[in-house]
Amino acid sequence: MTAIKPILSAMFRSRSAPLLLLAQIILSIAIVANAAFIIQQRMELMARPSGITETESFEFSVFNFGEDMDLLARDERDLQILRNLPGIKAAAPTNMVPLSGSGWSDRFVDGPDPENAKSLPIFAFYLSDEELVNALGLKLVEGRTFHKGQILRAFDDKSVQREVILSQTMAKAFWGEESPIGKVVYQGDDEPITVVGVVERLQGAWVDDMHLENSVIMNIDFNGRSNNASYIIRAEVADIPQLQETIKAALLKDEPRRVIRGFSTIAENREQNYANHAMMAFVLGCMIVLLLVITALGLSGMVMFNIERRTKQIGTRRALGASKGAILSWFLTENYLILGTGALVGVLLAFELGRRLMNFFSLPALDWRYPAMTVALLFVVTTVAVILPARKAANISPATATRSV
Amino acid sequence: MFMHYLDLAWRSLRKTPLMSLLMVFAISIGIGITIMTLNVHQVMSTNPSGERSDKLLGVQLWTQGQDTWRNYSAILTYQDVINLRRGTVPVRQAAMFRTGKAITTDNPDIEAEMQSVRITDSDFFAMFSVPFLYGNVWDKAVDEVPEHVVVIGKELNDKLFDGRNSVGETLYLNTKPYRIVGVTDHWSPKPRYYDLTTGSMQDAELLFVPFSLTPIEEFEVWGNTNGWKFEPLRTYQDRMASEKAWLQFWAEVDTPEQRKAFQDYLNAYVDSQQQLGRFTDKSRDSWARTMNVAELLEFHEVVPEDNKILIGLSLLFLLVCLVNILGLMLTKFLKRAPEVGVRRAIGASKRQIFAQHLVEVGCIGAIGGALGLLWAWSALQYLAKKFFLEEAMTNLDPSIWVIAPSIAIVSAMLAGMYPAWVICKTKPSVYLKSQ
């Protein structure tokens, strides 16, 4: 490093340019650190696995509008048709679709007496039969799925036992490490519900829900309770476009008085429902890149001007024996002095901005690594932005520079 | 003089093309990002009810039991809505919810399709200023004595009846015949303020059916049903008799005094229900609340949090861009000091020099602003495609055409003020000496 003192005194003589640069660096650190932190948050959110074979599983719904239609029988017949179609690996009825943005949620209690029972956490409530585990490609880690034929057709149907399969998060939230298999829960009345299985993971409908990972499947085929019936199908990715046509044709052929709609894979649901977060990350990402570009260009421009203004001075120094490296390091030192000061204030400002964002919005506190990384990034960017024009300065020949003195 | 300065500014910009481009680029990016985020905000924070905002009141009741919901519910139970509908304080009132039906006509060539249907009262149309193309809303008597009638939207009328006057014709909702009594003109307020609980940026429904048909037709609910206690809904009767909330209730008042009277009426109603043993959570001072449209837009957080964060960050971003061009401008102007020195010596006043430089800065701002608008527009188009934004969001709000150039020129001038001031202080003597 060359002597800092003359550099400092040179800077103090024309204060405005370095001060502006300082302001720019301070603001950049505050913005980039917070933006990067928010991006990271969103990426983490989007990266959470759903537990579902998202590209292989798709949903659709059937709206039956025939006046005299037996909707319960219709659902059973439709399921039969679907399960007999070639290319379909699994088909299941459902009341809600994962990651779709619309669904059911409910709560269990651990005893039949509503006054004394303890509440289990809130969960996404799937009503389906033994095939849903298969149709969503869920991984059963404990217990079993429902027995074929042991499926209820309504909440007041008491023909068979009520059973549930829980997501692991749901099971752990209430029973910790203890196995939930065989445990009995209640839903407000005194009908016991037995836990028969645990799947590794199953997400609910709302991606911004705090309880996204809490899910329960109950052995009720709820289709046929209203005009609308929904199904989840699993098939090879390549077969899906064709299957959508085949399914529509087969179901309409059997009963034309209906509207079949809404074909979409769970992967498509995911994309739709995380679109806000993806957009936020994308816009902030663009902001960071543009900010760095603008800072770098502005800095280069100013260094370039400085060089022109100081051509004679640089030439004189070169004539007096300063090496090219010394000239280069003069500009770099100048830059690092400003960057260092800017970093100190900028990091403080970044935390202040982060604190404000946290107070006003549902954001966590800024992680210290983000300001640190931003400073490192600015170190690289400004170095490049200074070196390119400063090399020109170092090449100033003493002869041309001093000629007019 | 202004034209002369413009000419000078143009010459000056052309003399240092790279620097000018850099400045225009910086400011246009800053403006572009700011305008983009502001536009989304403008579109979403529009209050489409205009001056009627204060007259339209959404009703919220504290109907829950103890230790249940922590907030007022924006949707009500059927029994409360039926009770409130009998009230005489408001000028107009309407209960409502959304359902869906398969639509067919007597024309067998038209395939059955699903449509959202708004179930509501006849006052809805006057309250929310729905324009009619043909016919009119159903008779007020139908709100009490149900009839199978329907009002349809222009878009649906175009599709099903080729746009002709279809009043009197029959439309089938789930094969059930309904007589068309009115066709509305295009109407789709954004945000869809009459129902903010099922997506604020969606299009308005194209079918309206009397609320009084609800117990007969047992319409499915396409929207939220919230409950705070265990109540199995086995039949539609259960739903109507339950404490489950699923309906919205709107009232129209003319004056603040009427709003006060309505508020008193609501409080009295809640009291009467508490006497009957309902509304058991009494841990508050008041149990009823009315919100006008502006308050409801705020309550439902129609403008998303992310947008507010982006506006904040983009304004900071713009500040960086301004500091940046401030630096560049200072640099550029100082380089011109000798020339200014000569001009001062031959009689140019400080004010003239200052004005001339501000015009130059203003030019940069104006060009940057125009370019920024272009950036914002294309960015919105791109984002809309990539991230499924509603179409309403991609159009530039009319206000933006004023906001964008103002921000651009004002901010550029602010940034240029200091450099212009520095340069107009130039002492002629210094530069004359060295010539």
Side-chain angles (χ1 to χ4, degrees):
Chain A
M1 278 279 159
T2 37
I4 288 178
K5 228 181 137 199
I7 297 180
L8 269 179
S9 58
M11 268 202 291
F12 276 117
R13 261 204 294 165
S14 55
R15 276 180 304 266
S16 42
L19 272 179
L20 287 172
L21 199 56
L22 191 66
Q24 204 175 331
I25 281 174
I26 290 169
L27 283 169
S28 296
I29 291 173
I31 299 174
V32 172
N34 278 288
F37 182 58
I38 295 174
I39 293 175
Q40 164 65 18
Q41 298 280 315
R42 302 302 162 107
M43 301 292 236
E44 252 172 38
L45 216 59
M46 290 191 283
R48 292 172 302 176
S50 63
I52 299 161
T53 44
E54 291 178 11
T55 50
E56 290 182 11
S57 303
F58 67 94
E59 55 148 318
F60 71 92
S61 65
V62 179
F63 189 88
N64 296 297
F65 58 84
E67 225 7 30
D68 48 349
M69 209 182 273
D70 180 346
L71 294 170
L72 285 172
R74 190 65 258 166
D75 170 50
E76 272 166 29
R77 183 153 169 76
D78 286 343
L79 265 177
Q80 215 173 36
I81 294 171
L82 289 172
R83 283 171 180 162
N84 286 335
L85 280 179
I88 289 187
K89 290 191 199 161
T94 191
N95 62 325
M96 61 173 274
V97 179
L99 307 184
S100 65
S102 116
W104 291 34
S105 61
D106 215 318
R107 258 192 136 119
F108 286 151
V109 287
D110 69 348
D113 170 19
E115 292 304 312
N116 300 315
K118 215 171 116 198
S119 267
L120 272 72
I122 202 160
F123 54 77
F125 196 22
Y126 291 91
L127 305 176
S128 187
D129 66 10
E130 74 283 354
E131 278 297 302
L132 188 67
V133 171
N134 238 336
L136 289 176
L138 307 181
K139 197 171 148 204
L140 205 59
V141 288
E142 215 179 326
R144 58 169 173 84
T145 178
F146 310 125
H147 292 303
K148 197 170 159 52
Q150 306 271 293
I151 306 299
L152 297 159
R153 294 313 312 265
F155 277 104
D156 50 358
D157 180 354
K158 292 186 178 154
S159 57
V160 294
Q161 275 279 316
R162 290 201 212 177
E163 296 181 339
V164 284
I165 298 168
L166 310 181
S167 68
Q168 215 163 26
T169 317
M170 177 72 195
K172 281 209 172 115
F174 196 68
W175 289 285
E177 290 309 308
E178 204 184 335
S179 166
I181 302 292
K183 295 270 195 256
V184 176
V185 291
Y186 298 84
Q187 209 177 9
D189 53 4
D190 49 12
E191 201 65 26
I193 304 166
T194 316
V195 179
V196 298
V198 177
V199 288
E200 188 184 32
R201 193 173 267 114
L202 172 58
Q203 291 186 336
W206 297 281
V207 298
D208 291 326
D209 188 6
M210 269 164 50
H211 309 284
L212 180 64
E213 313 266 326
N214 286 352
S215 300
V216 167
I217 311 171
M218 195 185 267
N219 61 334
I220 300 183
D221 175 356
F222 207 67
N223 282 346
R225 307 308 321 180
S226 74
N227 293 86
N228 203 58
S230 300
Y231 300 93
I232 290 185
I233 310 286
R234 180 149 168 229
E236 288 297 334
V237 177
D239 295 344
I240 292 178
Q242 182 55 45
L243 260 180
Q244 299 186 344
E245 298 305 310
T246 325
I247 288 173
K248 213 172 160 180
L251 293 182
L252 279 177
K253 194 177 147 219
D254 204 62
E255 168 59 71
R257 290 174 302 172
R258 44 179 155 188
V259 182
I260 297 170
R261 64 205 179 108
F263 286 95
S264 70
T265 62
I266 309 300
E268 284 163 346
N269 283 347
R270 161 182 287 274
E271 209 186 329
Q272 285 259 1
N273 280 282
Y274 278 112
N276 285 338
H277 295 303
M279 185 165 81
M280 187 76 171
F282 179 79
V283 171
L284 289 176
C286 291
M287 237 188 222
I288 292 180
V289 171
L290 286 170
L291 196 68
L292 292 178
V293 168
I294 286 175
T295 306
L297 286 178
L299 182 54
S300 291
M302 257 187 277
V303 172
M304 214 118 69
F305 170 72
N306 257 335
I307 289 164
E308 270 177 51
R309 226 176 36 158
R310 289 197 218 150
T311 304
K312 285 177 193 169
Q313 180 204 2
I314 292 165
T316 314
R317 283 193 60 209
R318 291 278 283 126
L320 292 174
S323 69
K324 283 186 181 184
I327 301 294
L328 206 60
S329 74
W330 172 287
F331 283 103
L332 280 175
T333 312
E334 196 177 274
N335 173 56
Y336 294 143
L337 280 174
I338 296 173
L339 183 63
T341 320
L344 281 180
V345 187
V347 168
L348 290 179
L349 187 67
F351 278 113
E352 177 58 23
L353 183 62
R355 206 177 54 80
R356 268 160 204 262
L357 286 174
M358 188 179 69
N359 283 350
F360 286 119
F361 307 107
S362 44
L363 286 180
L366 180 65
D367 187 331
W368 64 269
R369 276 173 295 189
Y370 289 86
M373 278 184 328
T374 309
V375 172
L377 192 65
L378 275 175
F379 181 85
V380 176
V381 170
T382 56
T383 304
V384 175
V386 169
I387 281 191
L388 291 180
R391 281 222 325 254
K392 210 173 111 192
N395 283 333
I396 291 173
S397 107
T400 49
T402 48
R403 195 169 293 153
S404 65
V405 171
Chain B
M1 217 48 185
F2 180 69
M3 290 316 286
H4 175 60
Y5 289 154
L6 265 186
D7 182 50
L8 281 180
W10 179 239
R11 279 160 198 268
S12 157
L13 290 181
R14 278 208 330 214
K15 233 198 274 177
T16 52
L18 216 62
M19 196 91 134
S20 307
L21 269 180
L22 195 59
M23 285 193 270
V24 168
F25 174 73
I27 197 163
S28 73
I29 293 286
I31 298 285
I33 288 187
T34 310
I35 291 307
M36 186 183 85
T37 57
L38 274 181
N39 186 61
V40 172
H41 184 272
Q42 287 300 99
V43 170
M44 300 193 94
S45 64
T46 303
N47 183 342
S49 63
E51 58 202 21
R52 290 182 60 76
S53 173
D54 285 332
K55 300 190 170 178
L56 298 174
L57 304 176
V59 175
Q60 303 189 345
L61 298 180
W62 194 271
T63 56
Q64 48 266 54
Q66 287 155 34
D67 300 327
T68 51
W69 298 334
R70 288 194 200 105
N71 286 314
Y72 268 103
S73 174
I75 41 182
L76 307 180
T77 66
Y78 185 78
Q79 36 179 337
D80 289 327
V81 162
I82 287 296
N83 293 339
L84 291 179
R85 242 165 124 240
R86 297 198 194 105
T88 50
V89 183
V91 186
R92 297 191 181 99
Q93 49 196 347
M96 65 170 90
F97 68 104
R98 187 173 64 152
T99 188
K101 293 282 183 186
I103 311 301
T104 46
T105 60
D106 287 321
N107 182 352
D109 297 339
I110 297 176
E111 212 184 303
E113 66 169 313
M114 287 305 294
Q115 282 280 351
S116 307
V117 181
R118 180 126 315 242
I119 310 296
T120 188
D121 287 313
S122 59
D123 279 347
F124 176 90
F125 302 88
M127 287 171 78
F128 298 100
S129 318
V130 189
F132 273 87
L133 200 57
Y134 306 118
N136 216 320
V137 58
W138 55 81
D139 209 57
K140 201 152 174 55
V142 175
D143 291 335
E144 299 305 325
V145 186
E147 272 180 58
H148 285 81
V149 288
V150 62
V151 168
I152 67 173
K154 179 178 188 296
E155 289 79 359
L156 196 63
N157 190 55
D158 287 348
K159 187 148 63 175
L160 300 179
F161 302 100
D162 295 323
R164 67 172 189 275
N165 184 348
S166 61
V167 171
E169 305 232 21
T170 305
L171 193 66
Y172 299 89
L173 313 190
N174 287 15
T175 70
K176 185 108 185 197
Y178 284 71
R179 184 168 48 87
I180 298 173
V181 294
V183 178
T184 68
D185 206 345
H186 170 76
W187 179 74
S188 190
K190 298 280 165 56
R192 197 182 55 177
Y193 66 107
Y194 63 85
D195 180 3
L196 297 166
T197 64
T198 50
S200 54
M201 281 293 144
Q202 290 186 4
D203 285 328
E205 289 83 2
L206 296 171
L207 289 145
F208 301 88
V209 165
F211 182 76
S212 53
L213 282 171
T214 308
I216 304 171
E217 288 300 321
E218 306 197 339
F219 300 118
E220 282 178 37
V221 178
W222 279 21
N224 289 335
T225 298
N226 295 341
W228 48 269
K229 66 171 179 183
F230 180 70
E231 281 175 302
L233 303 184
R234 298 196 167 102
T235 63
Y236 210 80
Q237 302 314 332
D238 288 350
R239 170 180 279 276
M240 292 191 296
S242 70
E243 291 294 343
K244 296 262 192 280
W246 49 286
L247 296 156
Q248 294 177 72
F249 190 72
W250 284 86
E252 181 180 337
V253 293
D254 273 339
T255 58
E257 292 73 40
Q258 256 178 343
R259 182 174 180 174
K260 174 81 178 50
F262 185 52
Q263 180 72 43
D264 291 343
Y265 163 77
L266 290 176
N267 285 329
Y269 170 70
V270 172
D271 276 344
S272 73
Q273 294 299 305
Q274 285 179 343
Q275 314 262 315
L276 295 173
R278 294 179 68 215
F279 301 6
T280 50
D281 180 21
K282 297 180 187 168
S283 59
R284 313 173 46 85
D285 300 332
S286 73
W287 298 277
R289 173 163 87 177
T290 56
M291 289 194 134
N292 66 25
V293 178
E295 289 161 347
L296 273 171
L297 290 169
E298 185 73 24
F299 174 78
H300 284 283
E301 291 176 0
V302 172
V303 180
E305 212 171 66
D306 276 3
N307 181 246
K308 293 180 186 158
I309 298 177
L310 279 181
I311 288 181
L313 288 179
S314 60
L315 284 174
L316 282 178
F317 187 104
L318 180 62
L319 194 58
V320 175
C321 294
L322 291 180
V323 171
N324 196 309
I325 58 170
L326 208 167
L328 289 173
M329 224 129 50
L330 192 64
T331 307
K332 180 174 167 175
F333 287 178
L334 284 177
K335 222 157 107 181
R336 208 193 285 157
E339 180 196 320
V340 172
V342 175
R343 287 198 43 211
R344 291 273 286 121
I346 45 184
S349 74
K350 273 188 189 180
R351 266 183 64 184
Q352 281 170 326
I353 302 285
F354 186 73
Q356 183 214 328
H357 284 90
L358 265 196
V359 168
E360 184 175 341
V361 177
C363 281
I364 293 175
I367 302 173
L371 209 57
L373 259 178
L374 201 66
W375 289 135
W377 183 79
S378 15
L380 281 171
Q381 301 300 316
Y382 178 76
L383 291 179
K385 247 203 207 122
K386 200 170 151 116
F387 300 106
F388 317 100
L389 273 190
E390 272 98 354
E391 202 195 308
M393 232 99 90
T394 65
N395 302 325
L396 290 182
D397 191 83
S399 63
I400 292 297
W401 295 102
V402 183
I403 295 178
S406 326
I407 294 187
I409 296 177
V410 169
S411 57
M413 298 265 238
L414 279 178
M417 209 81 92
Y418 176 68
W421 181 68
V422 167
I423 189 72
C424 78
K425 279 193 316 184
T426 304
K427 286 197 183 67
S429 52
V430 177
Y431 293 98
L432 286 179
K433 247 192 292 184
S434 65
Q435 289 300 309

